[in-house]
Amino acid sequence: MAVLHRILYKHIIFSVISAITAFMAVTNSFESLGLTLIGFALFVTWVWFHFVEESLDRTFAWLTFYGILNIFGQYVDYEGRLWPLWSLVILHVLLLIYRKQAAWQAVYLFVAAILSIGYLVNVTESWLSQRPPSIIEATLLSIALVAVYLIHRRSDLMWVSLLAVIPFALFEDSGVLLAVLIEVIALAYLVRQDMTRQRTIFAFIYFLVVQMTIYFIYVWDRLDISLFFLIGALIVFALSLGLWWRNRTRRDVTT
């Protein structure tokens, strides 16, 4: 009803009501209510996504799609570790159908970044002690993630495709390999954003979050927190100095 009111009356309050309702429905799990309701929820979400062109609505609808797909994985008793990544690949269909650049597409990268942190945090936890991924599944998922970039050739989707390292990194239980790979990706993302003269603020935040996550997972009991923040401050200062020096050498950039 909130979605229909949003389409008819176009008031933003119905977007908020729809988002809250979707969040409550997803977090209370559709799997106990049957496949029919999951299908109906997907249809209503598509109506919301298709008929309301505001970027905020499409962002809410996209996140609802993602939540419902993850619930569907629970409904079919998928016991592997990789369903959140499969859901991201499935939602690539929206990028194929709605090719026009829009603000909602940024949420695709945001969720990919959250997934990389989530897998890093939980790599040694019970959530990832489920059935280990098979070589075949890991290979197929990695190919699908790389295909997301190859189909569109958009530079921002390249960072989604780099999640292809996760399925194979999960075979190493300590998570050290995954931590190193994600840290390299975060640094490469920051450097590329600067080299292509795009906004670096989100890349910088992502890099810092990765550093904090690695610290709390692996160094909490071994390195005093004040020393960690000192080292982190020096890293940030060095990166800032490098980016500043690069901008200073550009003729078309003013201080």
Side-chain angles (χ1 to χ4, degrees):
M1 291 302 297
V3 169
L4 290 177
H5 278 72
R6 176 59 170 142
I7 295 173
L8 291 173
Y9 300 110
K10 305 183 185 305
H11 196 285
I12 193 66
I13 187 62
F14 298 114
S15 300
V16 177
I17 295 173
S18 300
I20 294 173
T21 306
F23 176 79
M24 293 176 62
V26 169
T27 53
N28 280 281
S29 299
F30 278 110
E31 83 273 16
S32 61
L33 300 174
L35 188 60
T36 302
L37 187 60
I38 294 178
F40 180 71
L42 288 172
F43 173 74
V44 172
T45 305
W46 173 79
V47 169
W48 188 14
F49 189 92
H50 181 79
F51 290 100
V52 184
E53 296 183 356
E54 293 291 334
S55 60
L56 181 63
D57 286 271
R58 286 191 165 179
T59 297
F60 286 152
W62 193 98
L63 291 172
T64 304
F65 270 128
Y66 187 74
I68 295 173
L69 286 176
N70 283 329
I71 292 297
F72 179 76
Q74 299 177 26
Y75 179 82
V76 298
D77 294 327
Y78 174 84
E79 297 179 353
R81 309 178 179 188
L82 303 175
W83 185 254
L85 290 174
W86 279 118
S87 297
L88 196 66
V89 171
I90 294 171
L91 279 178
H92 174 251
V93 173
L94 293 178
L95 289 174
L96 288 173
I97 299 174
Y98 302 92
R99 290 178 177 272
K100 185 179 179 180
Q101 291 283 348
W104 68 267
Q105 295 184 6
V107 77
Y108 198 81
L109 277 73
F110 175 76
V111 171
I114 295 298
L115 283 177
S116 67
I117 298 296
Y119 275 100
L120 180 58
V121 168
N122 292 289
V123 71
T124 57
E125 301 296 330
S126 58
W127 180 67
L128 289 181
S129 64
Q130 306 173 46
R131 177 181 63 83
S134 66
I135 293 294
I136 295 177
E137 183 185 11
T139 302
L140 290 176
L141 178 57
S142 297
I143 292 173
L145 286 167
V146 172
V148 169
Y149 168 70
L150 295 178
I151 290 173
H152 296 276
R153 299 286 181 171
R154 277 174 43 192
S155 60
D156 52 347
L157 293 179
M158 176 179 65
W159 306 107
V160 177
S161 296
L162 290 176
L163 294 180
V165 303
I166 291 179
F168 293 102
L170 293 181
F171 287 100
E172 198 269 317
D173 293 333
S174 69
V176 174
L177 176 61
L178 183 59
V180 172
L181 290 173
I182 292 180
E183 186 168 18
V184 170
I185 290 173
L187 182 59
Y189 180 45
L190 176 60
V191 172
R192 182 176 175 83
Q193 287 293 100
D194 177 68
M195 293 181 64
T196 56
R197 305 188 183 188
Q198 300 180 48
R199 296 181 65 182
T200 59
I201 178 65
F202 297 113
F204 222 115
I205 292 174
Y206 178 61
F207 178 79
L208 292 179
V209 171
V210 170
Q211 301 307 308
M212 293 289 293
T213 303
I214 291 175
Y215 170 75
F216 286 114
I217 292 176
Y218 299 104
V219 199
W220 178 263
D221 296 326
R222 301 180 181 88
L223 183 65
D224 184 83
I225 193 168
S226 59
L227 179 59
F228 165 76
F229 279 112
L230 174 61
I231 296 174
L234 292 175
I235 293 175
V236 171
F237 177 76
L239 287 173
S240 301
L241 182 62
L243 295 177
W244 171 81
W245 183 261
R246 179 177 177 81
N247 286 332
R248 183 174 178 272
T249 58
R250 294 172 177 168
R251 296 180 180 179
D252 59 338
V253 175
T254 58
T255 302

